[in-house]
Amino acid sequence: MSDSTPSTPATGAKTMATAMRTDLCGTLRAEHEGTTVTVCGWVDRRREHGEHLAFIDLRDYTGIVQAVVDGNHDMRVEYVARITGTVAARPADTANPDLPTGEIELRDCEVEILSIAEPPPFPMDERTGVDETIRLRHRYVDMRKARMQRNLRTRAKVNSAVRGAMEEQGFVEIETPMLIASTPEGARDFVVPSRQKPGNFYALPQSPQIFKQLCMVGGIDRYYQIARCMRDEDLRADRQFEFMQLDAEASFVTQEDVFEFISHAVREATEAVTGERPGEIPHMTWNDAMERFGSDKPDTRFGMELVNLTDLFAETEFNAFKAERIMGIRLEGGAELSRNKLDDLTDMVKRWGGKGLVWMKVEDDKSLNSPVAKFCSESELTGIVERLEAEPGDICFLVADRLRRTQHLLGLLRVELGRPPVTEGGFNFLWVVDFPLFEEINEDGKPIPLHHPFTMPHPDDVDLLNTAEGEELLEVRSQSYDLVLNGWELGSGSVRIHRSDIQSRIFEMLGIGAEEAQLKFGFLLDAFKYGAPPHAGFAFGLDRLTALLAGEENIREVIAFPKTQSGGDPLTQAPTPVADAHLEELGLRVLPPAE
RNA sequence: GGUCCUGUGGUGCAGUUUGGAGUGCACGCCGCCCUGUCAAGGCGGAGGUCGCGAGUUCAAAUCUCGUCAGGACCGCCA
C-alpha cells in the first residue's frame, strides 16, 4: 500500500482514534518512538522466522506497519487483528526506506485476532492484474487494495470540492424525486411498475432536467444537486446505467455566467485531487471542433488535426475522391507502419461506416508512396504534402465522403492513432460552444433537435431560424455547450427557452402540435405561464471527472459497486427474476423469451 | 442491433499456428525448518471436466459450429 495517500479523511474528522484503536497503521513515524499504540487492520503479510520471531504487516487504509511478534501466533493473510505495542526504531540497517513507516516497528506486542479469514480469492499485491469479474464478485476484498481506496477517496474529494464550490457561489441544494413520469424523449427510461395503479409506471430520472427548470420558476435562483441519473442504454468504459452528475441551474444568467460557475467547480475539484489549479478553460466552437478534430469532444492533449483537402481535388480524375469532403491527417513517423497494420486500419474505418481509407507514405524526397498515387495528379500529391506539412517518414491518411462522415471517421482514426495514455498530457478542459440547434432534417423535412426542444437559439441566428428552409436550418446555432476533458464529454448544458412565443415557434418547426406539446411537456409549459425567469444550466458527470483525475480509463474503477458491460452485478447477481406473487400484485406477466 | 478480442489448478500466464497422455512457469495455499525479514528464505505436498455443448478425427486445450461469460469499440446515449 506504499502509494496510498490517505490520512485526511474526506469527512474532515479531527481524529480517527476510537475505543478500539489509538492510531492508524500507516501514520506511525519515528517521532512516535516510545509511545504505546493500538492499531487495527488486516494482516497484509507475515514473515516467520521460527517460533521466536515473526513479522506481521498490519494494514488499514492508511498503509502498513510492521509488528514484531513471536512465531506462535497463527496470523494469516487477511485476518483482522488488533495489535497493541510500543513504537520502536528498527535495529540498525533494518529500516525499510520504501515504506513510510519503515523506520519504526511495533514491539512487545499484544495481539488480538478479531476475525479469521479464508485466503483472498486473488492476490492482494498490486503487481498482478486480476480479471475484473472476479474483482467485482469480491468487491469487498478488492476495495481493501490501495487502488480502490485511492479512487473512492478521490471520488469523495471531488464530490466535496464540487459541493463546496457550488455552495460558495450561492447555489442551493434541492433534492428532486427518483420516481417520476416517463417522457418519450431522450434515452431509454428505466421503469418501475406501480402497485397502486397496475399498468402504470414510474420512470427513474435520466436527469432532473424538468424539475430544475421548475425550481427556476419557483424562484430558487441558483439550484444544484449531486444527482443520480439513470439511462437504460448500452454500457461502455465511460457509461453505466446509473451515474452521478453535478446538476445545476441558475436564473437571470447568460451562458457566460454558467461557464464561470461550472469552471469554478471543476477547477476546485481538480485542485483538490491533484494539488494544481487548472488555468482558464478555453472555448472552442462546435464547428471548429468538428473541422479540426472531427469530434464534438476533442482530445486537445495532442495535435494531429484534420486538414481540409477538398479544393485540391476539385478536378480530380480519381473517382474515390469525387466527394463532398476530402480531409487528411498526418501521423508523424507513421511510414514504418506495416502493410498488415494499414489493412487493419482500413478495415476499422470500414467497420465505422467508411468506404475506405487512403494512406500515403512520405518518401525521403517527399514523394508519396501509395496504392492510389497513380490516380492522382502531381499537383494533388504535392498539395497533400504541403497542406499536411508532411515530412519524410510520415504517413498521411485521407478520407473522402460526406462532410460529417469524413470528419467523424478521421476524428475516430486520429484518436485511435494518437491518443496518449489517460495518465499523460495533463487535464485539458475545454468548453465546446455554439452547438447547432438541429441535428438533421428528417424525411418529412422537419428538423430534429440536437438537445432537448427547450434549448434557446443563438441570438445571432434568430433571423436565420425564421427564414431558413431545409438543410439551411442545420446552420442555426443554439445556446448550448459541452464541457470536455481529454476527449471525454463531461457534461452539457444550455440556455433554456423561457418565452412562449419562441417555444411555440420551435415546437411548430419540430412538427410538435400544441396538443402534443401539452401532452408531453404540459406541466412545464403551464409553469412557464406563471412567470419564468430567463435561466440556463449545466450538468456534468462526476464518475467521468473522477476517473480522469484518478488516472483511470474506466469509470467502473471509481464506482464502489459497478455493473458489467452487459448490465449485471457479479456480486449480487442482479438483475434477478421476482416471485410470481410479486408480479401478480403489480399486474404484470412475463412473456416467454422471444425466439 | 453490429464488429473485434479473451476464457487453461485459487490468481497471473505459456502451450492452440502445425491435433498425439493435463505438459510447463510464476504467485498463492497446506505441512515442516528457520531469531531481523519486509515481493523473506529452504524442503516437501495438495490442487485442473483446458467456460459449456455439439461436430470432425483412431485421437481435440488445440480444428469447425453453436452457446455462455467478460472486455474494447461502432450504432445508441435529447
Side-chain angles (χ1 to χ4, degrees), chain A residues 22 41 91 134 142 150 231 234 291 319 337 420 444 455 512 584:
Chain A
T22 63
I134 298 167
D142 188 47
R150 178 178 53 94
R231 293 178 191 172
D234 289 355
E291 285 287 353
N319 281 332
L337 289 179
D444 303 332
T455 305
I512 300 176
E584 185 73 19

Side-chain angles (χ1 to χ4, degrees), chain A residues 13-70:
Chain A
K14 286 197 175 64
T15 174
M16 296 303 282
T18 69
M20 292 192 72
R21 72 179 177 207
T22 63
D23 289 273
L24 292 168
C25 299
T27 62
L28 297 171
R29 296 291 184 273
E31 69 199 63
H32 299 97
E33 212 178 303
T35 59
T36 297
V37 299
T38 303
V39 290
C40 295
W42 286 263
V43 174
D44 195 63
R45 238 178 212 102
R46 63 183 164 138
R47 293 176 292 280
E48 288 187 71
H49 295 259
E51 60 178 320
H52 298 292
L53 177 68
F55 299 100
I56 301 295
D57 289 338
L58 196 68
R59 179 189 71 235
D60 62 24
Y61 76 93
T62 63
I64 60 174
V65 65
Q66 172 169 286
V68 186
V69 301
D70 67 49

Side-chain angles (χ1 to χ4, degrees), chain A residues 19 29 35 59 82 157 162 317 328 343 349 367 371 438 477 510 539:
Chain A
R29 296 291 184 273
T35 59
R59 179 189 71 235
R82 178 178 185 229
K157 275 188 194 168
V162 162
E317 302 287 313
D343 287 346
V349 168
S367 67
F438 304 115
R477 291 166 298 170
L510 299 178

